[in-house]
Amino acid sequence: MKTLTVKKLAEISGVSVRTLHYYDQIGLLRPSIRTEKKYRLYGNDELLRLQQILFFREMDFPLKDILEMMDTTDYDLVKALMQHKSALLNRKRRISDLLKTIDTTIDNLKKGETMKNPEELYKGFPEEVGTTYRKEAISKYGVQTVEQSEKELMKLGKSGVEALQKEMENVFSELFVLKNDNPESDIVQEHIARHYGIISKFWGDSVVSDQKPDAYAGLGDLFVNDERYLANVTDGSPQPEFALFLQKAIKYFAENNLEK
Amino acid sequence: MKTLTVKKLAEISGVSVRTLHYYDQIGLLRPSIRTEKKYRLYGNDELLRLQQILFFREMDFPLKDILEMMDTTDYDLVKALMQHKSALLNRKRRISDLLKTIDTTIDNLKKGETMKNPEELYKGFPEEVGTTYRKEAISKYGVQTVEQSEKELMKLGKSGVEALQKEMENVFSELFVLKNDNPESDIVQEHIARHYGIISKFWGDSVVSDQKPDAYAGLGDLFVNDERYLANVTDGSPQPEFALFLQKAIKYFAENNLEK
DNA sequence: GTATGATATGACGTAACGTTAGGGTCAAAT
DNA sequence: ATTTGACCCTAACGTTACGTCATATCATAC
């Protein structure tokens, strides 16, 4: 039978020599022969096994699991693959979330220098939250949808909008008083629900209904990420603890009341 | 000013005490005060800074980068975020690929892995190059010569062949990256040489030695004439420019290294 | 005075290798 | 026969972001 040295095997399989040493060490892939002088020699079976290993490694299985899978004769491969699949799906979702957050963060940063346009509508709200979501909404649902909903907002009239703004400020100051309570307590959650209601009205149709839970949950993160959002509630001084409190409260609310 | 002990800070920020120790150690987050007895005391600024850190950590930034970002005043945050975004997009794509592979694997396992026909050997190669050349080779050298060399290929075993296939795919994807370089540049030619080596092994004796230069040069033309040959390298979308690039590179290689 | 809880430093463990470091071995070329 | 150069071996540290003891000191309450 033809045998292969480490280097050869490394070359045709595309892994490093060190990797083969390591796999030998942890018992994942042992050479079929050790010569007098301790040289490793691999046969065809080992090449085959290595291919298997690399396949699973490609799938991001930890080596420990691979070892177990390959040494357990009655291993349920399909089940393992499906499990792994769901883990991958989770990772993917998480990355999608991160991407969203990055986008809004980039938006926020850029917005800091530019923008001063016709959206006086949003004045007075937790600093520029409205405009941020306006941009997001535009990119998601198109400009005309958003402008449509803004027209509806207009119908409320200046005074109507101001009333909403005032209401929102009230909720915030009430929440501020509760900042040392448990974010998941009933009373806090009631206020959060009120806040959500106001925000919803404010968003109108610019954020489509089934996107609102996500958008709202994202709000909590924004408070933490950029203290300016709370600046006009806390009269200027940074309140990281309050922001954290809001984040937790909002997260809890979104998870328990919005996702269906 | 209000100060926080490790435990307190850990609690309100949601990280472990050990993490704070560690961040202190690597200089990422130093307490503003060290008491007589070395107790760490953190002020508001540190809490704020920690929030920033955690934000970036959420984004999967390595701590080293976070440290640099936060200590470099003129750091281009937007740029960093966009870079990071593209990295995340890559991860996401990779995961999507893995998911696809897992699905097909599960399918295969359920169907009861068969495949053992002669043409199965050529699977994974630039679509049908193998079989096409089989036909061509047969018409040129006769059936028995080809079958003989296929027996030799069989000796490599499935895994050996797969290793070759993998190697070939690697070369292609590396070449794809270089597709805007000069086809006659050293680096491109090096990869072409590798490719030729692999093809040669694959052809074995089915293509007689002194015919290989011609056959190989012909390969470049095939790429241009039939886009399917590159289909599985370019994940489906036609890449006429890449094909032309390969054709030139191969022609140059054959003329300068193979003919004599 | 002592029990309890918080804090400190130090050091090992983790995953999967990469990377020297220091020394044998084998085949070909001299 | 020897030198070269390519290849082989083991040992061991470095990497990331902490978790988990171990051991010792400190603060607070009873």
Side-chain angles (χ1 to χ4, degrees):
Chain A
M1 205 228 317
K2 201 173 165 189
T3 57
L4 301 163
T5 65
V6 262
K7 183 96 187 288
K8 295 278 179 55
L9 180 55
E11 270 169 8
I12 84 176
S13 65
V15 306
S16 73
V17 171
R18 175 65 172 109
T19 298
L20 293 177
H21 283 175
Y22 182 65
Y23 288 177
D24 184 10
Q25 179 185 327
I26 65 174
L28 184 55
L29 180 70
R30 297 227 176 77
S32 53
I33 304 175
R34 281 283 205 149
T35 73
E36 179 86 18
K37 248 334 269 185
K38 299 287 189 181
Y39 282 29
R40 291 171 178 84
L41 292 182
Y42 297 86
N44 245 335
D45 291 350
E46 284 73 36
L47 180 48
L48 206 59
R49 185 178 167 100
L50 179 54
Q51 293 306 320
Q52 277 271 321
I53 292 171
L54 294 182
F55 171 74
F56 292 122
R57 195 184 64 166
E58 261 306 295
M59 312 277 90
D60 271 12
F61 277 95
L63 297 186
K64 215 166 254 181
D65 292 2
I66 297 178
L67 181 57
E68 192 191 340
M69 290 166 61
M70 302 193 56
D71 289 354
T72 306
T73 49
D74 61 340
Y75 199 88
D76 188 343
L77 188 51
V78 172
K79 194 173 147 199
L81 284 171
M82 298 209 297
Q83 267 180 244
H84 193 55
K85 180 180 169 183
S86 93
L88 286 175
L89 282 172
N90 283 332
R91 279 196 224 174
K92 195 176 161 187
R93 271 194 293 272
R94 170 148 193 279
I95 290 180
S96 295
D97 289 351
L98 293 183
L99 285 170
K100 260 175 33 191
T101 309
I102 285 188
D103 280 341
T104 72
T105 303
I106 290 177
D107 269 6
N108 291 338
L109 290 174
K110 284 186 179 163
K111 178 201 58 200
E113 310 148 2
T114 57
M115 288 209 58
K116 213 52 183 185
N117 286 34
E119 27 265 356
E120 274 293 348
L121 263 183
Y122 302 91
K123 183 200 65 175
F125 275 72
E127 192 101 20
E128 297 177 17
V129 164
T131 62
T132 299
Y133 273 89
R134 183 179 194 272
K135 276 178 98 176
E136 250 190 41
I138 287 177
S139 77
K140 275 186 190 156
Y141 313 111
V143 99
Q144 82 288 3
T145 310
V146 173
E147 282 179 356
Q148 169 61 31
S149 77
E150 278 174 359
K151 276 183 196 152
E152 288 173 23
L153 245 195
M154 293 288 205
K155 282 193 222 151
L156 278 178
K158 193 164 191 270
S159 56
V161 172
E162 280 172 358
L164 273 184
Q165 291 173 345
K166 192 84 201 284
E167 220 182 323
M168 192 133 97
E169 277 176 29
N170 287 340
V171 176
F172 265 99
S173 57
E174 285 161 20
L175 276 166
F176 192 69
V177 173
L178 298 170
K179 66 180 183 298
N180 292 320
D181 285 22
N182 178 359
E184 302 180 0
S185 68
D186 286 346
I187 179 155
V188 171
Q189 287 294 309
E190 273 171 34
H191 282 81
I192 295 289
R194 257 186 75 204
H195 180 243
Y196 175 68
I198 299 164
I199 288 275
S200 282
K201 256 187 267 176
F202 175 67
W203 274 335
D205 298 324
S206 71
V207 176
V208 171
S209 163
D210 70 325
Q211 293 292 336
K212 282 184 182 175
D214 282 348
Y216 190 60
L219 248 187
D221 299 335
L222 274 185
F223 292 143
V224 178
N225 293 333
D226 194 334
E227 61 191 49
R228 286 174 308 169
Y229 292 128
L230 292 177
N232 62 349
V233 183
T234 60
D235 67 283
S237 57
Q239 297 284 348
E241 289 168 82
F242 181 48
L244 279 167
F245 165 80
L246 280 179
Q247 187 189 32
K248 283 180 194 158
I250 287 177
K251 189 175 173 218
Y252 183 82
F253 176 77
E255 281 170 0
N256 291 279
N257 297 83
L258 300 182
E259 323 260 18
K260 48 100 225 254
Chain B
M1 206 227 316
K2 199 166 128 195
T3 58
L4 301 163
T5 64
V6 263
K7 183 106 187 279
K8 296 277 179 56
L9 180 56
E11 272 169 7
I12 81 175
S13 65
V15 305
S16 73
V17 172
R18 175 64 173 107
T19 297
L20 293 176
H21 282 175
Y22 182 65
Y23 288 176
D24 185 10
Q25 179 185 326
I26 66 174
L28 183 55
L29 180 70
R30 298 228 176 75
S32 52
I33 305 173
R34 281 283 207 149
T35 72
E36 180 85 18
K37 218 353 250 176
K38 301 287 191 180
Y39 280 32
R40 292 169 179 84
L41 292 183
Y42 298 86
N44 242 335
D45 291 349
E46 284 74 36
L47 179 47
L48 215 53
R49 184 178 167 100
L50 179 54
Q51 292 309 318
Q52 278 271 322
I53 292 169
L54 294 182
F55 171 71
F56 290 122
R57 197 184 62 165
E58 260 305 295
M59 311 278 90
D60 271 11
F61 276 96
L63 297 186
K64 214 167 256 182
D65 291 3
I66 297 178
L67 181 57
E68 191 190 341
M69 290 167 60
M70 302 192 56
D71 289 354
T72 307
T73 48
D74 62 340
Y75 197 89
D76 189 341
L77 188 52
V78 172
K79 197 172 142 200
L81 284 171
M82 297 206 299
Q83 270 181 242
H84 193 57
K85 181 180 168 182
S86 91
L88 287 175
L89 282 172
N90 283 333
R91 280 196 224 173
K92 196 175 161 187
R93 271 194 294 272
R94 172 146 192 280
I95 290 179
S96 295
D97 289 350
L98 292 183
L99 286 170
K100 260 176 28 192
T101 309
I102 286 187
D103 280 340
T104 71
T105 303
I106 290 178
D107 274 4
N108 288 338
L109 287 175
K110 282 183 179 167
K111 283 180 192 159
E113 166 130 32
T114 47
M115 72 169 169
K116 218 37 182 173
N117 46 351
E119 317 239 323
E120 186 63 35
L121 268 179
Y122 301 91
K123 186 199 66 173
F125 275 70
E127 192 101 21
E128 297 179 16
V129 165
T131 61
T132 300
Y133 271 90
R134 185 176 194 271
K135 283 184 190 164
E136 262 189 32
I138 288 177
S139 76
K140 273 185 191 160
Y141 314 111
V143 104
Q144 84 291 358
T145 311
V146 174
E147 283 181 354
Q148 168 61 30
S149 77
E150 279 176 352
K151 275 183 197 152
E152 289 172 23
L153 246 195
M154 295 287 202
K155 282 194 224 148
L156 275 179
K158 187 166 187 258
S159 54
V161 171
E162 280 172 359
L164 274 184
Q165 291 172 343
K166 175 131 192 244
E167 224 181 319
M168 191 134 95
E169 277 176 28
N170 287 340
V171 175
F172 266 99
S173 56
E174 284 157 23
L175 275 168
F176 192 69
V177 173
L178 298 170
K179 65 180 181 298
N180 293 320
D181 285 22
N182 178 359
E184 303 180 1
S185 68
D186 285 348
I187 179 155
V188 170
Q189 287 294 308
E190 272 172 33
H191 283 81
I192 295 290
R194 259 186 74 204
H195 181 242
Y196 176 69
I198 298 164
I199 289 278
S200 286
K201 256 187 265 177
F202 177 68
W203 277 334
D205 299 324
S206 71
V207 177
V208 174
S209 165
D210 68 330
Q211 295 292 335
K212 280 183 182 175
D214 282 347
Y216 189 59
L219 245 188
D221 300 333
L222 267 189
F223 291 145
V224 179
N225 294 331
D226 193 336
E227 62 190 45
R228 285 173 309 167
Y229 292 134
L230 292 177
N232 62 348
V233 182
T234 60
D235 65 276
S237 55
Q239 298 283 347
E241 290 167 68
F242 182 48
L244 279 168
F245 165 81
L246 281 179
Q247 187 187 30
K248 283 181 196 158
I250 288 178
K251 189 177 173 210
Y252 182 83
F253 176 78
E255 282 170 2
N256 291 278
N257 296 83
L258 299 182
E259 322 263 12
K260 208 150 285 163

